[in-house]
Amino acid sequence: LIYISMGYQTVSLKNKFYTKGEFSWGTTGSSSGAKIIQRELHKIIGDREPNGWSTQLELGNFIQAQFEHTRSIIKSSWMKINWAGNIQIGSIFNTLSLATELKIDRSNDPFIGQTSKLIQPSGKPHLSLWARPKIAYILSNRLLQTNQNQFGLHQRIINKVVYHTSIGVSLQFNKVSISLIQHYNTPEFKTATKHAFGEIAIQLNI
């Protein structure tokens, strides 16, 4: 997989909502050159030749676009509630999703993982507790709809509605934040299982 991506983000003057978008173009499979690069890197480090390429999907060239709008609903001195809508359209992913954000802290910024330059950063570190449950409706997902293996292509039955949730604790300094995040997803196709995973994130607000 090799791709290029361009994005934009706009924030309202009163920091009540923001909108962001992203456009990606790339290619998958042998045309990406990833197989050759991986093989040569394995030679350099003295590792065995990679053998997993026969099971990789080759979706060819792809175009994807993503748009998200997040709006503050409740903003008090200690609690913030937002809603967010997202749409992904393209040759691989086509999804619609709605999310709610709950944030508990003493900052002036209502959003999660988004610090507006309109708000002066606090001189003292502060802690945030937050949660982001999301419901996604899957129109299509070519990465999951086909399962290529040594026996050929097999169609998967995709779950049309998938639930995601993320719960985090963030420590915000002047222009740096450190977060511990727990994610949970319901199964994305019929034979899959629900899964959870953790994340440690460091964000620079330049």
Side-chain angles (χ1 to χ4, degrees), residues 29-190:
S30 58
S31 59
S32 69
K35 180 179 180 180
I36 296 174
I37 294 172
Q38 185 185 28
R39 185 177 61 197
E40 294 304 316
L41 286 175
H42 277 239
K43 287 181 180 180
I44 292 173
I45 64 176
D47 198 1
R48 60 187 176 87
E49 185 171 343
N51 297 317
W53 283 95
S54 61
T55 64
Q56 299 299 310
L57 286 176
E58 296 196 21
L59 301 177
N61 296 333
F62 69 86
I63 296 175
Q64 283 291 139
Q66 178 178 199
F67 305 96
E68 181 172 300
H69 180 80
T70 304
R71 179 174 290 271
S72 175
I73 303 300
I74 297 175
K75 180 183 175 184
S76 69
S77 60
W78 63 274
M79 182 179 71
K80 290 83 177 172
I81 297 177
N82 316 310
W83 72 264
N86 179 285
I87 179 171
Q88 292 188 59
I89 53 176
S91 54
I92 296 180
F93 303 108
N94 288 279
T95 63
L96 302 170
S97 65
L98 289 174
T100 301
E101 296 181 347
L102 170 64
K103 181 181 178 184
I104 298 175
D105 72 356
R106 304 288 294 182
S107 73
N108 293 322
D109 200 325
F111 303 116
I112 297 172
Q114 160 65 33
T115 302
S116 172
K117 294 183 178 180
L118 301 174
I119 294 179
Q120 294 296 323
S122 173
K124 297 181 179 179
H126 68 271
L127 196 67
S128 298
L129 304 176
W130 55 268
R132 194 177 195 267
K134 180 177 74 172
I135 292 288
Y137 181 73
I138 313 299
L139 299 170
S140 65
N141 184 339
R142 290 180 63 201
L143 286 182
L144 295 179
Q145 284 171 324
T146 52
N147 178 24
Q148 184 169 338
N149 55 38
Q150 64 268 30
F151 303 109
L153 290 173
H154 298 274
Q155 290 296 119
R156 284 192 175 122
I157 300 175
I158 299 296
N159 291 327
K160 289 296 185 180
V161 178
V162 178
Y163 172 75
H164 308 261
T165 189
S166 299
I167 300 173
V169 179
S170 300
L171 181 61
Q172 176 75 49
F173 296 93
N174 186 8
K175 290 190 176 183
V176 179
S177 64
I178 302 173
S179 303
L180 300 176
I181 309 169
Q182 179 65 47
H183 302 281
Y184 169 83
N185 291 2
T186 58
E188 295 172 303
F189 53 93
K190 293 300 182 183

Side-chain angles (χ1 to χ4, degrees), residues 8-29:
Y8 74 92
Q9 181 167 295
T10 60
V11 182
S12 69
L13 291 176
K14 295 184 178 180
N15 201 39
K16 290 187 176 181
F17 66 85
Y18 69 90
T19 302
K20 61 182 180 180
E22 185 177 15
F23 175 82
S24 302
W25 174 84
T27 185
T28 64

